[in-house]
Amino acid sequence: MSTEIRSQQKKITTHTLRTMKKNGEKIVAITAYDFTFGKLFDSAGVDMILVGDSASNVIAGNETTLPITLDEMIYHAKCVMKGVDRCFVLVDLPFGTYQGNANNGLQAAIRVMKETGAHGVKLEGGEEVIETIQKIVQAGIPVMGHLGLTPQSIYQFGSYAVRAKETHEAKALLESAKAIEQAGCFSILLEKIPFAVAQKITQQVHVPTIGIGAGNACDGQILVMHDLLGLNNDFHPRFVRRYANLENDIRSAIKNYANDVKTKQFPNESEQY
């Protein structure tokens, strides 16, 4: 798609996303971490890109999301934003930038907005981050909440198992969703919770819910790009649907390239000066 055509498309905003929920139109979201994929996803009609702290796993090779820094998140977000004309772009606030200190969270969010040009931030947690959400929203920065399985708390949970399976936890999750909506979140990401719980939350809050492993009652869906594109075939959670098998395709392409170099078939006469 040409730059001229893309620039003429209406930009997705928080108002757009709320209207989509109201009209029953599903929201398409995906993670991205660089210019090339940001541009591809934007031109393909994605509504929302999350520059996720999952970069710690799929880009940096860490076991958890905890090691990634604010500077690294800002770098990835700046790269993505250079390829985006239409879709709404959110950036994860990494572990340690907002937990327990609302002022630190505000300063981290301000840095993200000023240095990247992104459209909002996402942070994990319920009542314990209410003050942080309020401070960031009062500064004019859109905030997406994140409930259910929150990867930054993985050592507290002890596993990546489904959350809110028990009645008391499901009830607490619903109350948390209402609380962070009241605090000003424009949207809530629900991760790895039962369909019925996500459905109830989606019905009872007025802001869009985005699911990952939370069933199809959510107002939208998100997947990590590496999972969707089949770039990580060692990861097989139930909620991932692979729309390509690029890991095998890329490995095959590189093997063919290496063979052509070894056998002096590349470059040929038409590929040299």
Side-chain angles (χ1 to χ4, degrees):
M1 184 179 294
S2 71
T3 302
E4 181 179 357
I5 294 174
R6 290 168 62 210
S7 64
Q8 292 174 355
Q9 292 185 322
K10 190 172 182 179
K11 293 181 182 295
I12 303 293
T13 66
T14 54
H15 174 73
T16 310
L17 297 168
R18 288 193 295 267
T19 301
M20 291 173 74
K21 176 184 176 79
K22 182 179 178 181
N23 294 339
E25 180 184 353
K26 294 293 188 179
I27 298 165
V28 179
I30 191 171
T31 68
Y33 315 96
D34 64 18
F35 164 77
T36 300
F37 281 104
K39 185 176 181 180
L40 280 170
F41 299 157
D42 187 68
S43 64
V46 166
D47 300 309
M48 180 190 297
I49 287 176
L50 171 64
V51 184
D53 58 1
S54 47
S56 180
N57 308 111
V58 298
I59 302 296
N62 296 314
E63 183 179 0
T64 72
T65 62
L66 274 64
I68 199 164
T69 67
L70 182 59
D71 285 340
E72 289 169 333
M73 289 302 304
I74 287 172
Y75 168 77
H76 287 294
K78 288 169 69 174
C79 294
V80 169
M81 286 303 297
K82 290 178 181 178
V84 169
D85 286 321
R86 174 183 174 271
C87 63
F88 192 84
V89 179
L90 286 164
V91 182
D92 265 328
L93 293 184
F95 177 74
T97 60
Y98 62 92
Q99 287 90 346
N101 191 315
N103 289 324
N104 286 351
L106 173 60
Q107 292 307 311
I110 289 172
R111 276 199 64 194
V112 167
M113 300 299 284
K114 288 178 68 71
E115 296 180 35
T116 72
H119 308 126
V121 299
K122 181 175 77 63
L123 53 80
E124 299 179 3
E127 286 85 352
E128 71 276 13
V129 293
I130 290 294
E131 184 184 355
T132 303
I133 293 170
Q134 290 172 333
K135 280 185 176 290
I136 296 173
V137 171
Q138 287 166 5
I141 301 171
V143 176
M144 173 185 270
H146 184 160
L147 298 172
L149 176 63
T150 48
Q152 290 180 11
S153 302
I154 187 57
Y155 290 127
Q156 181 182 23
F157 291 147
S159 76
Y160 288 98
V162 175
R163 306 303 304 173
K165 293 176 71 175
E166 302 298 329
T167 302
H168 70 279
E169 188 181 358
K171 182 179 179 180
L173 199 66
L174 175 59
E175 294 306 312
S176 291
K178 291 178 178 179
I180 64 175
E181 176 189 20
Q182 184 65 32
C185 283
F186 80 92
S187 180
I188 303 172
L189 190 147
L190 301 173
E191 181 167 358
K192 212 165 184 184
I193 64 174
F195 163 81
V197 179
Q199 182 181 47
K200 181 174 287 189
I201 292 173
T202 301
Q203 291 170 344
Q204 294 195 26
V205 299
H206 298 93
V207 298
T209 60
I210 307 297
I212 178 167
N216 63 14
C218 295
D219 297 306
Q221 299 292 327
I222 187 168
L223 284 175
V224 172
M225 56 162 283
H226 291 68
D227 301 335
L228 183 155
L229 295 174
L231 284 164
N232 179 15
N233 289 340
D234 294 330
F235 187 54
H236 301 283
R238 179 189 301 185
F239 62 83
V240 168
R241 180 181 297 180
R242 287 182 168 79
Y243 288 85
N245 191 2
L246 297 189
E247 180 176 317
N248 289 346
D249 290 345
I250 291 170
R251 184 178 290 109
S252 177
I254 298 304
K255 285 182 177 179
N256 288 338
Y257 163 66
N259 180 71
D260 285 353
V261 171
K262 293 287 188 181
T263 59
K264 302 180 181 180
Q265 296 180 67
F266 175 81
N268 60 31
E269 290 184 3
S270 66
E271 295 164 330
Q272 58 193 19
Y273 299 96

